[in-house]
Amino acid sequence: MSDPLLLSVRNLTKRYAVKVLDDVSIDFHAGEIHALLGANGAGKSTLCRIIAGLTRSTSGTMQIAGHAFAPENKRAAEAAGVQIVQQELNQIATLSVAENIMIGRLPARFGVVDRGELHRRARIALDRFGLQEIDTHAITGSLGVGRQQMIEIATALDRDCRVLILDEPTAALSAGESETLFTWLNKLRQQGVGIIYISHRLDEVARLSDRITVLRDGKFICTRQTADVDRDAMVDLMTGESTENQAGDEYVSHQTDRVAMRVEGMSRGRWVRDVSFSVNRGERLGIAGLVGAGRTELLRLIFAADRADSGAVYLNDESTPRRFADPSDAVAAGLAMVTEDRKENGLLLSQSIRANTTLASMNRLFSAGGWIRGAAERQMADRMRESMETRCTSIEQTVGTLSGGNQQKVAVAKWLVRDADIFLFDEPTRGIDVAARRRIYRLFETLAREEKSLVIVSSDLEELLETCDRIAVMSAGRLVASFARSDWSTEQIMQAAFASPDTVAVG
């Protein structure tokens, strides 16, 4: 490398119940984007948390620019020039956007926060990142996960740093927002910032990064120039298995001509405006659009997680609308929803894998007469752990100690145990590694073959193109277009995503 050595880690080890990082040594250079690759649980996030001062290593040393670096906490790491944007959002939901951006450096006059200056500085930070539409006065928790992610990235980019760590930064971003991020990363690279980049999107890694380092089971495997490693080789290094001669899964449609669910006139404020569509049995319907288009909000209205201003849901060939009072009503009617934000409303992080896996089905499958059928519960949880290949010490391990990708597997498993006729998936592969992503895609195919209906929201357009029978596009709260597999194109879908909010919905 011609760029100077910026950050050096030597023999880093982190032990919890088991070693999650085992004697790892890596060099990171100024002015490079260095990608960390590995399956869920490989140790990538743990390594980054140590560098960012969020956790302490069991042993090993670090240096920044030749000086010893052993941060006691995040503030100490930031003082040394290390900024991190984690896969799991790290904002205070009850604070405003401006307060989250400026937290820890609030402008004050005579000991009182200067609100005018606070919002002025926050506005500059958002505008610099192209987020003019976000109100600095908005309560952060009222925004979707994609927008919250963009605010967190903007916050990191607003601070001077020598090392920027990004853990799955585009997982909840659309193509347009991702392009904005990539532009900024290239500018930072030119300014000499060292960027550590974690992503399971290998095309993204190939496009952005200068070098890759692969971790597997907490151990260092190799560091390579990105230009010397193609996508298949990356997968081989991460899994330890060869992909040579492995054929991709051929797409097969299982869509029938029987309607499973019809949504008519669904509206809520400016977020969802008069959306109507239907999904058939066995159909996989993708919903594309930019962050803030109303995709997540639409699923939440269907599932009764939020109350609609107007609109109705019809199931099968019923002529009478279903008006769900809350999500439990929706579940009883045969709906299930894997939420976008597993941390906030998808899992009980302090509870075990077993408890989370069987939670939605306890009354139905694992209890009788007030008594829990413990053996059946454990058997099912273990079966799902094996089926989803969840990396854990046992099904009694608390979900909060799992990697983000393994948490997502538990969130999906919960609804597979419960079963449903209609599955609503909101960013189902967010933070999941390549191999696990393929399992989720095969799961989609299995559910469709069983004539389940799937509505899949994803910011990864390639994912929708690969897995869906039909793709509907939302823009500014409206459903503006619908494309069958036989006549869609990436260009058409992207044009629809940027369409005028006054465009009339199709299909």
Side-chain angles (χ1 to χ4, degrees), residues 185-201:
L185 294 184
N186 283 320
K187 289 180 180 178
L188 291 172
R189 174 163 53 187
Q190 293 167 11
Q191 294 167 12
V193 175
I195 300 168
I196 301 174
Y197 196 91
I198 297 177
S199 178
H200 291 304
R201 297 180 176 181

Side-chain angles (χ1 to χ4, degrees), residues 133-150:
E133 78 283 2
I134 296 179
D135 184 358
T136 61
H137 295 84
I139 299 302
T140 304
S142 69
L143 304 176
V145 171
R147 287 189 176 184
Q148 292 183 41
Q149 181 77 29
M150 294 175 73

Side-chain angles (χ1 to χ4, degrees), residues 5 8-13 23-27 59-62:
L5 177 62
S8 173
V9 302
R10 288 290 176 269
N11 310 113
L12 281 190
T13 296
D23 197 34
V24 170
S25 298
I26 309 173
D27 288 333
S59 61
T61 61
M62 296 187 289

Side-chain angles (χ1 to χ4, degrees), residues 83-340:
Q83 302 289 342
I84 184 171
V85 177
Q86 299 179 76
Q87 179 181 340
E88 302 295 343
L89 296 172
N90 193 35
Q91 296 162 327
I92 301 175
T94 55
L95 295 183
S96 70
V97 170
E99 288 166 334
N100 270 295
I101 291 174
M102 301 304 298
I103 196 164
R105 48 186 184 141
L106 297 172
R109 297 181 63 187
F110 308 111
V112 179
V113 174
D114 185 337
R115 292 284 168 181
E117 182 66 9
L118 169 70
H119 287 279
R120 188 188 71 81
R121 293 186 188 179
R123 181 77 271 152
I124 291 172
L126 292 173
D127 290 351
R128 186 182 297 130
F129 194 53
L131 302 177
Q132 291 88 352
E133 78 283 2
I134 296 179
D135 184 358
T136 61
H137 295 84
I139 299 302
T140 304
S142 69
L143 304 176
V145 171
R147 287 189 176 184
Q148 292 183 41
Q149 181 77 29
M150 294 175 73
I151 291 167
E152 195 152 333
I153 294 170
T155 302
L157 295 180
D158 188 51
R159 306 181 184 207
D160 292 332
C161 69
R162 290 193 285 179
V163 178
L164 176 62
I165 302 171
L166 298 173
D167 191 349
E168 297 289 352
T170 63
L173 302 185
S174 66
E177 285 78 22
S178 295
E179 287 298 326
T180 299
L181 174 63
F182 299 159
T183 298
W184 271 100
L185 294 184
N186 283 320
K187 289 180 180 178
L188 291 172
R189 174 163 53 187
Q190 293 167 11
Q191 294 167 12
V193 175
I195 300 168
I196 301 174
Y197 196 91
I198 297 177
S199 178
H200 291 304
R201 297 180 176 181
L202 299 186
D203 292 340
E204 197 172 277
V205 168
R207 171 184 171 182
L208 279 178
S209 67
D210 301 290
R211 290 192 298 159
I212 64 166
T213 288
V214 179
L215 300 179
R216 190 191 314 143
D217 298 325
K219 294 182 172 63
F220 171 86
I221 300 301
C222 67
T223 295
R224 302 273 181 85
Q225 295 291 326
T226 305
D228 297 336
V229 187
D230 64 18
R231 188 180 185 280
D232 286 343
M234 291 181 192
V235 175
D236 293 348
L237 290 168
M238 285 190 288
T239 63
E241 302 172 358
S242 175
T243 57
E244 187 177 358
N245 299 324
Q246 290 184 7
D249 297 330
E250 183 178 351
Y251 181 86
V252 177
S253 177
H254 301 284
Q255 180 178 349
T256 72
D257 58 2
R258 291 174 294 162
V259 173
M261 180 177 70
R262 192 169 82 254
V263 175
E264 291 191 0
M266 193 65 72
S267 297
R268 184 171 189 259
R270 61 183 175 83
W271 296 282
V272 178
R273 299 192 285 167
D274 195 29
V275 171
S276 300
F277 70 92
S278 65
V279 59
N280 289 0
R281 290 186 176 276
E283 182 180 11
R284 286 160 278 181
L285 171 64
I287 300 184
L290 305 179
V291 170
R295 301 166 303 161
T296 291
E297 291 81 359
L298 173 62
L299 292 196
R300 288 178 61 85
L301 293 179
I302 295 170
F303 199 60
D306 294 325
R307 187 171 296 279
D309 297 334
S310 61
V313 174
Y314 298 82
L315 299 182
N316 302 312
D317 56 357
E318 296 174 347
S319 58
T320 303
R322 296 291 188 109
R323 304 195 185 281
F324 305 131
D326 52 43
S328 63
D329 275 358
V331 171
L335 278 69
M337 181 172 174
V338 178
T339 63
E340 176 185 33

Side-chain angles (χ1 to χ4, degrees), residues 437-496:
R437 186 179 292 245
R438 303 307 311 175
R439 283 192 291 276
I440 294 293
Y441 294 172
R442 286 194 290 271
L443 169 64
F444 290 166
E445 202 274 337
T446 298
L447 292 173
R449 188 170 59 244
E450 295 171 355
E451 295 194 3
K452 310 293 185 181
S453 302
L454 285 69
V455 181
I456 306 166
V457 166
S458 178
S459 297
D460 186 345
L461 182 55
E462 290 300 321
E463 178 167 276
L464 297 181
L465 293 169
E466 181 172 351
T467 61
C468 294
D469 299 287
R470 183 163 54 103
I471 295 177
V473 184
M474 290 190 69
S475 175
R478 292 188 184 276
L479 198 154
V480 296
S482 181
F483 300 96
R485 190 175 188 88
S486 59
D487 61 10
W488 69 36
S489 71
T490 300
E491 182 180 1
Q492 288 174 312
I493 293 170
M494 291 306 299
Q495 286 177 346

